[in-house]
Amino acid sequence: MELIDGVKLRQLRLIPDSRGYLMEMLRRDWEEFMQFGQAYITACYPGVIKAWHYHKLQWDHFVCVSGMARVVLYDDREGSPTRGMVNEFHIGYLNPVLLKIPPLVYHGFTAEGPETALIVNFPTELYNYQQPDEYRRPYNDPAIPYSWEVKHG
């Protein structure tokens, strides 16, 4: 799959032993690492769509740590070589990856299957409560060429 310009995807490695497993999510010696702003977890219940939004300053680094999530990106950046492109990712326990999302790229996600999806994000910037770096559109905005319906068949 061709990725939107600036998007990075890293396959994560589960390290199992007799007690369970360990999975590194982001390391400062990986090319995806830029700087640390904060870490948080966001939950998405089955049937809920958390879309669309973008940031002007912040890069996001998503890892789905529980359940499965469909994360979708849309590039509407002026001058981008991938303007108009949509990327769809299925991330979580069946596909443990780190997804790096650049500023100005719309993104959203939904839980796949019957479980809540838990996504840990390592954004490059602190959340500013007085002036959030978040710019939103509704999940069904016709200006974004994507349908959140489950594809059957």
Side-chain angles (χ1 to χ4, degrees):
M1 165 192 348
E2 182 182 357
L3 296 178
I4 290 171
D5 187 47
V7 172
K8 301 272 189 218
L9 193 67
R10 175 184 285 269
Q11 193 68 43
L12 299 177
R13 185 170 61 108
L14 294 174
I15 304 167
D17 66 22
S18 61
R19 301 165 297 162
Y21 66 89
L22 176 138
M23 181 180 72
E24 295 174 326
M25 295 188 292
L26 183 63
R27 294 172 48 107
R28 73 171 184 231
D29 60 350
W30 289 353
E31 68 175 290
E32 294 84 3
F33 181 80
M34 298 170 70
Q35 68 183 35
F36 178 77
Q38 66 181 65
Y40 67 84
I41 191 164
T42 180
C44 188
Y45 298 132
V48 173
I49 300 166
K50 288 188 168 187
W52 295 97
H53 77 278
Y54 71 88
H55 312 285
K56 290 184 178 178
L57 304 173
Q58 172 177 305
W59 290 72
D60 284 334
H61 298 82
F62 282 11
V63 178
C64 183
V65 297
S66 182
M68 286 294 296
R70 178 174 13 141
V71 181
V72 183
L73 313 180
Y74 173 63
D75 188 358
D76 193 34
R77 298 173 292 175
E78 297 250 351
S80 170
T82 54
R83 187 171 191 193
M85 184 180 287
V86 172
N87 284 164
E88 181 182 77
F89 303 95
H90 305 274
I91 69 173
Y93 72 95
L94 294 174
N95 185 30
V97 297
L98 169 67
L99 177 60
K100 182 176 182 178
I101 305 168
L104 303 175
V105 171
Y106 281 98
H107 51 286
F109 63 94
T110 188
E112 292 191 304
E115 296 179 43
T116 297
L118 299 179
I119 292 179
V120 173
N121 187 19
F122 303 97
T124 56
E125 307 297 323
L126 284 170
Y127 185 80
N128 182 329
Y129 294 100
Q130 283 71 41
Q131 293 182 305
D133 179 26
E134 287 193 352
Y135 304 88
R136 298 190 173 275
R137 284 184 159 173
Y139 80 94
N140 59 353
D141 190 321
I144 297 177
Y146 186 78
S147 170
W148 288 94
E149 290 183 30
V150 174
K151 295 159 186 73
H152 300 280

